[in-house]
Amino acid sequence: MDNLPSPNIQDGPMVGTPLILQSKYVAEAPERVNRPVPVPSFYSDDRGEIHNVCVGQTKSTGSQRKGQRINLLYTKAGVMRSGDLHPNTQHDFVFSGSVKVWTLQKDGHTHVHVYNKNDVIAIPPFTPHLFEFEQDSVLAEWWDGDFKAWFYEPTKLIVAIVLLECMACCMTDRFGWAFLSAWVLDSPYICNEQGTTK
């Protein structure tokens, strides 16, 4: 991954502020990403599983308190997820495994930090980020406030390049361009050294 693009240095000073949304590299995520997720719900594919739950939602005595949406993720080693940013802090807790979290910094460079079992991750608002799973991992994730995402093109491009490298080494009948385009819009997975999907 030595030849992957670096995030734009000009975007650095805008990281952590709503000004980042003015970057030519930021685009609002599609409606299918930003629409409310039914809770409980479950999604599974070759990358792993996402369980969406709501904790603290009550409807007693005629009043309704909004609960906290929490995603529980199982992600396989070698998978990359995210490539986006949010208007509020994203929190993650690592129950098991190991994940590298890439975050764009104010100097325009990318900081990579490895998180392991029992580590807590806090990604500040308006900070482009990417998750690279080093081991099969289980995480919980939630946000301070309602979920909303914008895609950050440089990190989504990393996802696409890694995916295209994988597609070149392990194209099978079960993959096609429709799958590729839909998959890149969400999050990627990559091949292992033998060219098989994880």
Side-chain angles (χ1 to χ4, degrees), residues 119-133:
D119 285 343
V120 176
I121 304 165
I123 300 170
F126 300 108
T127 301
H129 56 278
L130 178 67
F131 287 74
E132 179 183 2
F133 291 86

Side-chain angles (χ1 to χ4, degrees), residues 24-159:
K24 66 181 180 179
Y25 299 112
V26 173
E28 188 165 347
E31 186 270 334
R32 67 180 173 72
V33 172
N34 279 325
R35 70 175 174 247
V37 174
V39 288
S41 63
F42 170 78
Y43 179 78
S44 176
D45 63 17
D46 287 342
R47 300 168 290 174
E49 304 171 353
I50 300 175
H51 301 259
N52 303 292
V53 298
C54 186
V55 178
Q57 188 173 19
T58 61
K59 294 182 181 178
S60 60
T61 64
S63 65
Q64 185 172 6
R65 185 180 84 222
K66 185 177 179 183
Q68 175 67 55
R69 172 183 159 191
I70 299 174
N71 295 342
L72 301 173
L73 292 85
Y74 162 70
T75 305
K76 297 176 185 177
V79 168
M80 296 179 86
R81 292 191 185 268
S82 240
D84 58 5
L85 58 129
H86 312 286
N88 40 44
T89 301
Q90 175 177 330
H91 302 276
D92 295 85
F93 178 81
V94 182
F95 289 102
S96 65
S98 179
V99 59
K100 288 182 183 177
V101 178
W102 306 21
T103 54
L104 182 61
Q105 302 296 299
K106 285 199 170 285
D107 66 2
H109 293 92
T110 300
H111 175 76
V112 179
H113 186 86
V114 178
Y115 295 90
N116 297 296
K117 181 179 179 180
N118 296 326
D119 285 343
V120 176
I121 304 165
I123 300 170
F126 300 108
T127 301
H129 56 278
L130 178 67
F131 287 74
E132 179 183 2
F133 291 86
E134 297 188 303
Q135 299 174 359
D136 289 0
S137 300
V138 175
L139 278 74
E141 69 177 4
W142 65 98
W143 297 265
D144 289 343
D146 293 331
F147 176 86
K148 181 162 179 68
W150 289 267
F151 289 162
Y152 187 64
E153 187 177 303
T155 52
K156 279 297 185 188
L157 186 56
I158 291 169
V159 168

